[in-house]
Amino acid sequence: MYVFAIIGIIAAASVSAQDADTILEQQPMAKAGQENAASDSNEASEADIATSPEILTAIEGIETAIRDLIAEEDKIEADRQRNNEDRDLNAQEAMASWARWMFWATVGTAVVTLLGLVLIGFTLRYTRKAAEHTEGMLRQAERATIAAEGAVDATRDIGEKQVRAYLHVKSVEFVVSGDGIGARILIANAGQSPAIGCSARIKIEIDGKAEEILKMPLPNIAANSEALRTIEPFGRKSDSLLFGNRYTAFVEVIGKDVFDAEIGATSMRTAHIKNGPKSGQFYDLIDAEGFYPDAAVKLLVNRGTSKKDNDG
């Protein structure tokens, strides 16, 4: 603004100079003889111009204009400062408002996070309960499966027992001759399926001393049928060993059923012949199994001193 003031002063000075020139031009030019005293006249004229009312009025106008310009500049500066202060205040209020909203937003975020954690905790709890329940159901299903398998096994076992082969020693006879001792055995299958790969072992004691073990293969025995097998006398034992009064036979029959399971039967038979057996004649041995359990019969059958296999 000071630049404008200086420009105004220069303009006012130009106007004063023009007025002074006009005044000089209006002076009478008659005094031409006084040209030698021009200097003194000019100085007096300039002093009069300086003290003229027009010049003073112009200078006062310039000063007033300068003061007005300075006042206007001060007002503009004051307005600018006031506007800056208002903007700063508005910015501070806006920042305070945003800070308040940010605070509540932070509080809301914290609340939502807390609720999320609580929900996650409940979710984990119910998930664990669901897992425990599922595990219990799996255990129950496993027990049910085991029970079902047990029932299936029991049903299969019952079915196998219903249709398997059942061997039974129906009769045992022995014969003594000069060729040795022989036997004839009748095996029955009371089951609903055949007995496969059967064989018989017979241990004969004479007066509790002499022992003879006879082994013979047997044909497959069909369901509900019988098989008779004979072993002709052999061994050529001396009469003192083969002929006696009390004969005891321990019989064991073994084989397999259609389920490839081992089956068998045992029997203990005895006969008392007062005067001894006749050569070449078969004698029936009476069932005496009530005196010996099956385990004892098997043990006695396998505890022989002489063994002979005969396929005849």
Side-chain angles (χ1 to χ4, degrees), residues 6-284:
I6 293 170
I7 293 172
I9 292 171
I10 295 171
S14 298
V15 172
S16 298
Q18 289 176 1
D19 292 339
D21 291 337
T22 302
I23 292 169
L24 291 175
E25 289 177 356
Q26 292 177 359
Q27 294 294 327
M29 300 301 295
K31 296 181 180 181
Q34 297 178 358
E35 291 179 358
N36 293 328
S39 295
D40 293 334
S41 296
N42 288 335
E43 289 178 359
S45 298
E46 289 178 0
D48 293 337
I49 293 170
T51 57
S52 64
E54 292 81 1
I55 296 298
L56 294 176
T57 302
I59 292 172
E60 289 177 359
I62 292 170
E63 291 178 353
T64 301
I66 291 172
R67 283 194 301 271
D68 292 340
L69 289 173
I70 293 173
E72 184 68 21
E73 180 67 22
D74 292 339
K75 182 180 179 181
I76 294 173
E77 184 66 24
D79 291 340
R80 184 169 61 250
Q81 291 179 358
R82 186 167 53 255
N83 291 333
N84 291 336
E85 291 175 356
D86 291 340
R87 285 195 297 271
D88 293 340
L89 180 60
N90 293 332
Q92 292 175 2
E93 290 177 351
M95 291 178 64
S97 178
W98 277 108
R100 184 169 57 254
W101 284 110
M102 288 297 295
F103 169 76
W104 288 114
T106 304
V107 172
T109 303
V111 171
V112 172
T113 303
L114 180 61
L115 291 176
L117 292 176
V118 172
L119 292 176
I120 290 173
F122 278 109
T123 302
L124 292 176
R125 180 181 178 183
Y126 286 109
T127 301
R128 182 173 65 250
K129 287 185 177 180
E132 292 175 354
H133 182 68
T134 303
E135 185 178 359
M137 293 180 62
L138 289 176
R139 286 197 295 266
Q140 292 179 358
E142 184 178 0
R143 287 194 292 268
T145 302
I146 294 174
E149 291 177 351
V152 171
D153 293 339
T155 303
R156 182 173 60 249
D157 186 57
I158 292 172
E160 290 179 358
K161 287 181 178 179
Q162 288 177 346
V163 301
R164 59 167 287 188
Y166 288 92
L167 297 177
H168 173 64
V169 180
K170 199 164 186 180
S171 66
V172 179
E173 298 175 285
F174 77 96
V175 60
V176 178
S177 68
D179 295 328
I181 189 169
R184 185 162 56 198
I185 184 172
L186 179 63
I187 305 299
N189 177 11
Q192 299 181 16
S193 60
I196 304 170
C198 299
S199 63
R201 179 188 294 241
I202 305 173
K203 174 185 175 184
I204 299 177
E205 291 185 354
I206 304 171
D207 292 335
K209 297 179 181 179
E211 296 180 352
E212 189 72 26
I213 292 183
L214 309 176
K215 293 175 62 179
M216 65 180 75
L218 298 174
N220 294 339
I221 305 173
N224 297 313
S225 62
E226 299 176 349
L228 181 66
R229 192 71 170 171
T230 301
I231 299 179
E232 297 297 335
F234 69 94
R236 300 185 182 278
K237 299 271 187 176
S238 62
D239 291 347
S240 60
L241 295 177
L242 296 179
F243 291 89
N245 300 110
R246 184 167 176 243
Y247 291 82
T248 304
F250 302 94
V251 182
E252 180 185 19
V253 180
I254 58 174
K256 291 186 176 182
D257 60 14
V258 292
F259 305 105
D260 200 32
E262 292 185 356
I263 56 175
T266 58
S267 179
M268 178 181 175
R269 307 260 172 168
T270 185
H272 182 73
I273 303 173
K274 184 176 181 180
N275 296 322
K278 295 181 180 179
S279 178
Q281 182 178 343
F282 281 92
Y283 291 88
D284 189 19

